[in-house]
Amino acid sequence: MFKGNIAQAMQMAQRMQDNMKKAQEELSAIEVTGQSGGGMVSVTLSGRMEARRVRIDPQALGDAEMLEDLIAAAINDAVNKANEESNRRMSAATAGMPIPPGLKGMFGA
């Protein structure tokens, strides 16, 4: 009976790993856009945090310090959105089962 439980646990771990790999592939295909300054600056990232686009309203070009702050805020907004989407998809991939910190590497997280 003990061997059956181990085999079942291994199968569940393999399914979870397959689901997480699929979720990671999906994340590389999604895009999230963060904005600041009422849309004066927008930054689009992939779900893997790769910058895809930056858009700056010409009105923001006059004040370098303000523009720097707006870019940083837009990046932070996009990163937060990407992290939320990543957490949502990974949670779905693991069926809500928490993965102990030491085991995350086993599942590609």
Side-chain angles (χ1 to χ4, degrees):
M1 181 182 254
F2 184 67
K3 288 181 181 180
N5 289 339
I6 290 175
Q8 186 178 17
M10 293 300 288
Q11 287 176 346
M12 186 182 338
Q14 182 62 48
R15 279 194 306 272
M16 190 182 330
Q17 186 175 13
D18 292 344
N19 289 343
M20 290 186 71
K21 183 178 178 183
K22 181 181 175 193
Q24 288 174 335
E25 289 169 358
E26 291 172 355
L27 281 172
S28 64
I30 69 161
E31 291 185 347
V32 295
T33 301
Q35 296 186 0
S36 65
M40 290 183 77
V41 174
S42 66
V43 174
T44 301
L45 301 177
S46 74
R48 290 185 167 245
M49 307 296 179
E50 297 164 335
R52 297 274 172 91
R53 280 183 299 284
V54 175
R55 191 196 62 74
I56 300 172
D57 186 310
Q59 294 177 8
L61 297 176
D63 184 343
E65 189 174 330
M66 179 188 73
L67 180 57
E68 291 168 354
D69 291 342
L70 290 174
I71 291 170
I75 290 170
N76 289 336
D77 186 39
V79 166
N80 288 334
K81 289 177 179 179
N83 282 332
E84 288 172 11
E85 185 64 19
S86 177
N87 289 338
R88 187 182 70 75
R89 289 180 187 243
M90 289 301 166
S91 179
T94 61
M97 293 176 49
I99 299 174
L103 297 180
K104 286 187 178 184
M106 287 178 55
F107 299 103

